[in-house]
Amino acid sequence: MDLEALYQDLGISPQVYAYGEKILSGLRERFSAIDQTAEYNQAKVLKAMQKNRVNATHFAATSGYGYNDEGRDNLERVYADVFHTEAALVRPQITCGTHALTVALSANLLPGDELLSPVGAPYDTLEEVIGIRPSKCSLREYGVTYQQAGLLPDGGFDYEAIRQKINPRTKLVTIQRSKGYATRPTFSVAQIGELTAFCKSVKPDLKVMVDNCYGEFVETREPSDVGADMVVGSLIKNPGGGLAPIGGYICGTADCVERCAYRLSAPGLGQEVGANLGLMTAFYQGLFLAPTVTAGALKGAIFAANVYEALGFPCVPGAAEERHDIIQAVTLGSREAMVAFCKGIQAAAPVDSYVTPEPWAMPGYDSDVIMAAGAFVQGSSIELSADGPIRPPYAVYFQGGLTWQHAKLGILMSLQQLADANLVRPKAF
Ligand SMILES: *Cc1c(COP(=O)(O)O)cnc(C)c1O
């Protein structure tokens, strides 16, 4: 059976397949640049693993207190070397990205201190952490105040406003690298470096934390290479390589990371406790795979933008734009098209492929939400997934794909669903 026939068995018509190949033929150069980044990052990860003499004893499970857990301690040295930082905290006890960010913030801000976001509003879940939306145990409840400076209309940094907001109490600056589910652009590592340098020129003793979620390994440098004191993220996104079933990381200066460890466990205990529960193979191997997994997800995002933009659906980032994270927004313009798109992604999944996604009233949202995910790890967004609120402009957010080939199939399946429902222009391809 040839490939086209196999695709037909999976539900892809010859027309959709041929259209995909046509789009793909224009993407060779960009894919080759992504492969070069992956090659660099693979070498960076390997160098860190070799320097730290990773061996089979590091994969042994520990339980209880986890004293003298050499596998865990060595993984943290590997992460510190990959991110070029003095120290790292990489733990299954960090339950998600929001938790990692909460630990980093609350460990490094004391009553009377002020937190500044110079890039506008932070990710939704951080609103309660900071106390922008009132919450028990927010930083605000502990006497930490917050200010933000919005971006300029063109998406650039408002340096004048940032300068004005920095005051003697400003202790920490938080920079979110990825746009997340907002409409602003994602920042490049170079831009984060400029912003970090600016903030420190106004107040040299400021600490800068970067929310690095979805950005890891997209470029050859990380925010910690350009002056950030802490970079923070989730292991069920890029750096877990799809294998980590839980976890988060904080890489940074020895002082910042020690405070984070004291906050995560207890003052005095810090990094000495925290059993690895048998997850070390997944954490090491996931990090080993992360550069190529991220590259596959990036190719999927670029392919999706090119497939859909050429059919008249607006995409953010645009088809030809440079990438700084793995998220792709596609504006489909109607509820029906969103449902069809998500059906296609779901139908392409290795897990739960027979399930039909339906819009539902998810708690905390003011409109129905639709989600497609057929993942090995629940909620993992480095695996192929799509979601979005059912309201104008009817945009889906598409991300992940542990392999480029799977991402490609998912996008072709989504297009097939749209074509079958007559939701793409007739004769568009
Ligand atoms: C995913 C994400 C978070 C939060 O991570 P969770 O694991 O969902 O808690 C924070 N910031 C950004 C930019 C993210 O993409």
Side-chain angles (χ1 to χ4, degrees), residues 239-263:
L243 294 186
I246 192 170
Y249 76 89
I250 300 166
C251 296
T253 63
D255 177 50
C256 284
V257 170
E258 186 181 36
R259 294 194 67 93
C260 291
Y262 275 30
R263 181 82 291 152

Side-chain angles (χ1 to χ4, degrees), residues 95-101 122-126 176-181 184 211-215 232-237 247 325 327 379 381 399:
T95 54
C96 63
T98 304
H99 187 195
L101 290 159
Y123 196 75
D124 272 31
T125 56
L126 287 183
Q176 184 182 310
R177 178 172 175 180
S178 168
K179 66 184 170 306
Y181 298 128
R184 66 154 174 91
D211 174 351
N212 209 22
C213 284
Y214 286 131
V232 181
S234 163
L235 296 196
I236 64 166
K237 293 179 180 172
D325 67 11
I327 300 178
S381 46
Q399 67 265 314

